């Protein structure tokens, strides 16, 4: 693991740790499932994303509309930079949450558009994205980790670790 990769995860850990403590210690409003979201609510998130193809860590942002407690739909955006090369990754995904005793498990599926900009050329392609993840709610905050894979002309695999906030 390179130094740059370790530094990103250390910074993300330092950012998320206080948020999880705050979420655990805040006053209980109403009972919250440890993995479901409020019906017709919105969740916004940010995290660190690692690309296995490019061996770099970037940033990921997402907004989900929670159609029901178990179904979410929304766009995701990821950005990576390696030297002069920039990678922009856009997904539109749907996921279904399965509750376990401790965490929520979810498969995800959707469409993907990737654009790779280099010094002399730009490549772009549409593809499909599939993956799975686990998450846990702490009141209105959610911590999640997921694996996803893009199938298409510009394939890639990603591991994402992030935090989301549920807006009611």
């Amino acid at each position: 693991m390179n130094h740059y990769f370790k530094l990103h995860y250390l910074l993300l850990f330092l950012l998320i740790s206080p948020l999880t403590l705050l979420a655990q210690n805040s006053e209980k409003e109403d009972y919250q499932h440890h993995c479901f979201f409020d019906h017709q609510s919105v969740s916004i998130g940010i995290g660190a994303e690692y690309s296995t193809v490019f061996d770099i860590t970037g940033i990921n942002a997402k907004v989900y509309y929670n159609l029901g407690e178990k179904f979410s739909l929304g766009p995701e955006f990821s950005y990576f930079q390696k030297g002069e090369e920039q990678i922009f990754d856009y997904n539109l995904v749907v996921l279904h949450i399965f509750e376990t005793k401790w965490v929520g498990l979810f498969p995800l599926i959707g469409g993907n558009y990737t654009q790779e900009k280099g010094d002399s050329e730009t490549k772009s392609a549409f593809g499909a994205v599939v993956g799975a993840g686990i998450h846990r709610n702490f009141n209105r905050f959610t911590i999640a980790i997921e694996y996803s894979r893009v199938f298409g002309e510009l394939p890639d695999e990603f591991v994402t670790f992030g935090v989301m906030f549920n807006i009611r």
Side-chain angles (χ1 to χ4, degrees):
M1 217 183 288
N2 65 32
H3 178 67
Y4 182 73
F5 180 73
K6 289 179 184 177
L7 181 62
H8 271 82
Y9 278 101
L10 176 63
L11 291 174
L12 185 62
F13 176 76
L14 292 175
L15 174 69
I16 291 174
S17 294
L19 294 175
T20 59
L21 292 174
L22 176 66
Q24 288 177 340
N25 294 330
S26 65
E27 289 184 28
K28 299 246 182 207
E29 297 170 11
D30 295 321
Y31 173 74
Q32 293 285 316
H33 274 281
H34 62 273
C35 66
F36 292 148
F37 295 107
D38 290 337
H39 179 71
Q40 296 183 341
S41 63
V42 174
S43 298
I44 57 173
I46 190 162
E49 186 163 67
Y50 175 72
S51 165
T52 63
V53 169
F54 293 97
D55 191 29
I56 55 174
T57 302
I59 190 162
N60 172 273
K62 56 184 76 179
V63 177
Y64 288 153
Y65 177 68
N66 303 306
L67 300 165
E69 290 182 332
K70 300 178 184 183
F71 289 97
S72 299
L73 167 73
E76 298 182 349
F77 169 74
S78 299
Y79 173 78
F80 303 90
Q81 185 165 3
K82 187 172 189 176
E84 296 300 315
E85 187 170 16
Q86 295 179 316
I87 298 111
F88 301 89
D89 194 66
Y90 306 90
N91 296 325
L92 180 60
V93 299
V94 62
L95 55 96
H96 180 271
I97 301 165
F98 295 95
E99 182 177 35
T100 71
K101 189 174 180 179
W102 298 283
V103 296
L105 304 174
F106 58 90
L108 65 89
I109 188 167
N112 167 270
Y113 176 75
T114 300
Q115 186 177 52
E116 299 174 2
K117 292 182 177 184
D119 285 338
S120 59
E121 77 174 303
T122 298
K123 296 186 261 181
S124 60
F126 287 96
V129 62
V130 295
I134 62 173
H135 75 265
R136 172 74 187 211
N137 296 349
F138 298 95
N139 292 326
R140 295 171 73 178
F141 287 95
T142 301
I143 296 174
I145 187 166
E146 71 183 45
Y147 165 82
S148 60
R149 182 172 183 164
V150 173
F151 295 90
E153 289 181 41
L154 298 174
D156 206 341
E157 295 181 34
F158 302 101
V159 176
T160 308
F161 180 74
V163 64
M164 293 191 310
F165 181 75
N166 186 255
I167 302 169
R168 297 180 189 181

